[in-house]
Amino acid sequence: MGYVSVVLFLVVPALTLLYIYFKQHYRHWANRNLPQLEASFPLGNMKGVGSEIHFNDVLNEAYAKGKAQSAPLVGLFFMLKPILIVTELDMVKRILVKDFSSFHDRGLYVNERDDPLSGHLFALDGERWRYLRNKLSPTFTSGKIKLMFSTICEIGDEFLATVNRFVERDEPLDVKLLSQCFTCDVVGSCAFGLQCNSLKNGGSKLLEIGDKVFKPPAWRNMLVFALISFKKLAKRLRLPVLPGEVTSFFMPLVTETVADRERNSIERPDFLNLLIQLKNKGTVEDETTEGLQKLTLDEVAAQAFVFFFAGFETSSTTLSFALFELANNPDIQERVRAEVLEKLQLHDGKITYDALKDMTYLDQVINETLRMYPPVPQLIRVTTQPYKVEGANVTLDPDTMLMIPIYAIHHDASIYPDPERFDPDRFALAATHARHTHAFLPFGDGPRNCIGMRFGLLEVKFGIVQMVSKLRFTVSERMQMPLRMSKTASILEAEGGIWLNATKL
């Protein structure tokens, strides 16, 4: 009888109070007169993400709700954490550019003490971000990137040779894997001077580590959501962001490479060389170094980490989807090839930095690929001070997280009619000028836009030119058509892979 009394007088009231609390918690945005998606304990709106649905599907639903109700913001929940989805392009512009001072942080989980690689430019906030951004910006100028172009050319020749071996055997091409091998070798060399040999060996240890970063199991994605939601508790528990295997591979790689270069006075025209200058001099420019703050070795490793993994995965995703769309649209492929061959002829048949700059229709093809398949499908910002939303009767509290759903914006039929059709003419000059300035955001915008944009575009452009100048592509029977996106991959990835056939011109 005693147990029954305990249940009746203690457990049931406690559960009732918890139910009422969570019921109220999941009305956080409705109570502030903002539309929201219905959420449930304990996952909020994350139920099924990474297994049955992609995170983009949740954001698409929120975006559609905001558009239907003409609301600039729509609420949803990362587990218990309330966040807002931005559904109006003017609001996007205010967040990224006009009112950047109120939204300069991303609010991601960083734990440099226990996970030094987490302290990279993409994740850091406040003055630490501003300091590093100012330090690193000179390393991504056109002049510095141009110095790395000869390296890209050498690896581009290996890329073509590898693809040709499949062509000669009349075998279909696993385009995503081949693109990953190409960009891994390029970034590995341009970042560290490493000979990754992914193309020669059909893979590498760095590619395996990349899969652990970008293709984690569903539970790890949920862990990341939890770390963002409970940052203070996670830090007290000394929880890392990255799997231990990633850190234990990457930290010694950078430490030993830096030590070897300093010991033997080795200098190369690559990103790591610039980071070593920031570590030893505090600048990459030829100027006095008195009083300049310098990077620590951990900071060097973290920046090298984000440059490598962000650089190779986003570029290979764009390159593989671009080649797929060219194979699937032969008229567009022929138009690209005509431009490529015409421009190369003006440069003695060689792929030069200047020749690539002149290929404007190819730029349109790449932009349309980035519209349909943005490698970073959403941007995150948090408020750094109270912010009154223009056109809505709401003031956002500090540390409110907002997401800009790039994938949803890029597939909005009111902005891009027939959005699932691949049409590079959307990015002809007149069409671009006719659209809202923030309807196309593959690299973000404002002071926190992608610092490596020029390098990534150069990689992709070179890869396409190397391929279409020598080969004609068609879609393989092995390709699962119509194209569907994987629900389990954290980045955009075609279900079953991208498989193409190629023949020599």
Side-chain angles (χ1 to χ4, degrees):
M1 192 68 182
Y3 290 116
V4 175
S5 299
V6 168
V7 169
L8 286 173
F9 294 110
L10 292 178
V11 178
V12 171
L15 290 174
T16 303
L17 287 172
L18 274 176
Y19 174 80
I20 293 169
Y21 168 77
F22 287 119
K23 194 78 175 168
Q24 274 301 105
H25 181 77
Y26 284 131
R27 287 190 53 77
H28 178 88
W29 298 120
N31 292 338
R32 286 157 177 76
N33 300 314
L34 288 172
Q36 67 169 70
L37 300 185
E38 289 300 315
S40 58
F41 179 79
L43 298 180
N45 294 106
M46 299 297 106
K47 186 177 180 182
V49 170
S51 54
E52 301 160 24
I53 59 172
H54 197 279
F55 185 47
N56 281 338
D57 297 327
V58 179
L59 299 191
N60 291 346
E61 185 185 350
Y63 182 79
K65 188 171 186 121
K67 295 285 284 187
Q69 298 186 21
S70 300
L73 301 165
V74 173
L76 55 78
F77 296 83
F78 266 7
M79 300 180 173
L80 295 177
K81 185 177 180 62
I83 66 170
L84 287 168
I85 307 305
V86 186
T87 60
E88 182 187 83
L89 295 185
D90 286 340
M91 182 72 189
V92 171
K93 184 175 182 177
R94 287 194 289 273
I95 290 168
L96 297 181
V97 182
K98 187 179 172 188
D99 297 329
F100 176 76
S101 59
S102 297
F103 298 98
H104 53 69
D105 291 350
R106 286 203 168 104
L108 302 178
Y109 175 64
V110 175
N111 179 4
E112 293 179 88
R113 177 183 60 179
D114 307 296
D115 188 4
L117 295 182
S118 69
H120 53 72
L121 188 67
F122 187 84
L124 289 172
D125 287 336
E127 285 307 310
R128 291 271 290 119
W129 164 76
R130 200 180 306 277
Y131 156 74
L132 268 175
R133 178 82 185 204
N134 289 337
K135 287 283 186 189
L136 293 173
S137 289
T139 70
F140 286 98
T141 60
S142 297
K144 295 286 194 302
I145 290 169
K146 202 169 182 179
L147 291 174
M148 303 175 192
F149 188 71
S150 60
T151 301
I152 297 176
C153 292
E154 288 171 23
I155 295 165
D157 291 340
E158 182 61 38
F159 186 30
L160 182 61
T162 302
V163 170
N164 275 333
R165 286 195 284 274
F166 286 92
V167 174
E168 286 158 8
R169 296 195 298 263
D170 198 25
E171 293 178 9
L173 308 170
D174 182 347
V175 169
K176 181 59 192 289
L177 176 60
L178 287 166
S179 297
Q180 281 183 318
C181 290
F182 167 62
T183 58
C184 178
D185 286 355
V186 167
V187 180
S189 185
C190 290
F192 312 110
L194 293 178
Q195 300 299 313
C196 299
N197 293 322
S198 306
L199 285 163
K200 288 180 180 173
N201 301 327
S204 66
K205 181 65 176 176
L206 277 166
L207 278 182
E208 289 175 32
I209 296 295
D211 280 347
K212 294 186 184 304
V213 175
F214 289 104
K215 298 177 187 175
W219 68 265
R220 181 160 279 281
N221 283 331
M222 298 311 294
L223 175 61
V224 172
F225 291 143
L227 293 174
I228 292 172
S229 300
F230 307 105
K231 285 188 282 191
K232 288 180 181 175
L233 175 62
K235 271 196 174 179
R236 280 202 294 271
L237 294 174
R238 305 190 67 160
L239 298 177
V241 183
L242 295 162
E245 190 178 347
V246 173
T247 304
S248 61
F249 173 81
F250 206 81
M251 283 298 291
L253 174 69
V254 174
T255 303
E256 290 164 17
T257 307
V258 169
D260 179 60
R261 289 195 183 191
E262 292 182 336
R263 189 168 50 247
N264 297 300
S265 303
I266 296 169
E267 289 199 12
R268 283 178 51 96
D270 60 22
F271 184 58
L272 187 61
N273 196 67
L274 299 171
L275 288 175
I276 292 171
Q277 287 180 41
L278 290 174
K279 170 181 167 289
N280 295 331
K281 296 181 3 185
T283 179
V284 297
E285 306 298 336
D286 296 324
E287 58 185 61
T288 177
T289 60
E290 286 301 313
L292 284 178
Q293 194 172 348
K294 299 169 185 176
L295 296 190
T296 66
L297 187 57
D298 280 355
E299 286 173 328
V300 167
Q303 309 329 307
F305 165 80
V306 78
F307 176 76
F308 177 78
F309 286 105
F312 103 79
E313 187 59 47
T314 55
S315 299
S316 65
T317 297
T318 304
L319 176 57
S320 56
F321 278 122
L323 291 174
F324 163 73
E325 288 294 349
L326 292 177
N328 202 37
N329 295 275
D331 292 349
I332 295 173
Q333 184 181 163
E334 290 306 321
R335 187 174 164 188
V336 169
R337 183 175 292 109
E339 179 187 66
V340 165
L341 295 176
E342 178 195 342
K343 300 302 180 187
L344 292 184
Q345 201 171 12
L346 300 174
H347 295 266
D348 300 322
K350 294 176 183 173
I351 306 176
T352 65
Y353 190 83
D354 291 330
L356 292 181
K357 279 171 64 178
D358 292 340
M359 297 177 189
T360 53
Y361 185 67
L362 178 55
D363 287 333
Q364 291 175 215
V365 166
I366 293 170
N367 283 341
E368 177 66 345
T369 304
L370 289 166
R371 179 194 69 80
M372 289 185 71
Y373 311 102
V376 180
Q378 62 274 327
L379 298 174
I380 301 177
R381 296 288 187 270
V382 294
T383 50
T384 54
Q385 56 194 22
Y387 183 83
K388 188 171 186 334
V389 178
E390 199 173 300
N393 186 26
V394 64
T395 297
L396 305 181
D397 297 328
D399 204 35
T400 299
M401 180 173 281
L402 302 98
M403 278 195 155
I404 297 167
I406 296 174
Y407 186 90
I409 292 168
H410 285 189
H411 288 77
D412 184 339
S414 69
I415 303 171
Y416 299 100
D418 195 6
E420 302 309 316
R421 180 171 61 89
F422 186 78
D423 179 12
D425 286 332
R426 299 182 204 271
F427 290 92
L429 211 54
T432 300
H433 286 162
R435 278 192 301 272
H436 194 287
T437 55
H438 286 70
F440 181 61
L441 294 165
F443 301 101
D445 195 23
R448 266 204 106 134
N449 71 339
C450 174
I451 195 172
M453 175 177 70
R454 284 194 194 97
F455 185 85
L457 286 173
L458 182 66
E459 255 187 300
V460 172
K461 206 168 184 181
F462 184 95
I464 294 172
V465 170
Q466 183 74 297
M467 292 295 105
V468 301
S469 64
K470 304 291 185 184
L471 300 165
R472 180 171 283 106
F473 292 90
T474 54
V475 178
S476 168
E477 290 180 0
R478 191 166 173 178
M479 181 94 192
Q480 290 183 22
M481 297 290 284
L483 185 70
R484 288 192 306 275
M485 293 296 114
S486 167
K487 303 295 186 189
T488 55
S490 56
I491 55 164
L492 290 181
E493 187 171 286
E495 198 76 64
I498 296 175
W499 294 90
L500 303 181
N501 298 319
T503 54
K504 292 184 180 180
L505 294 178

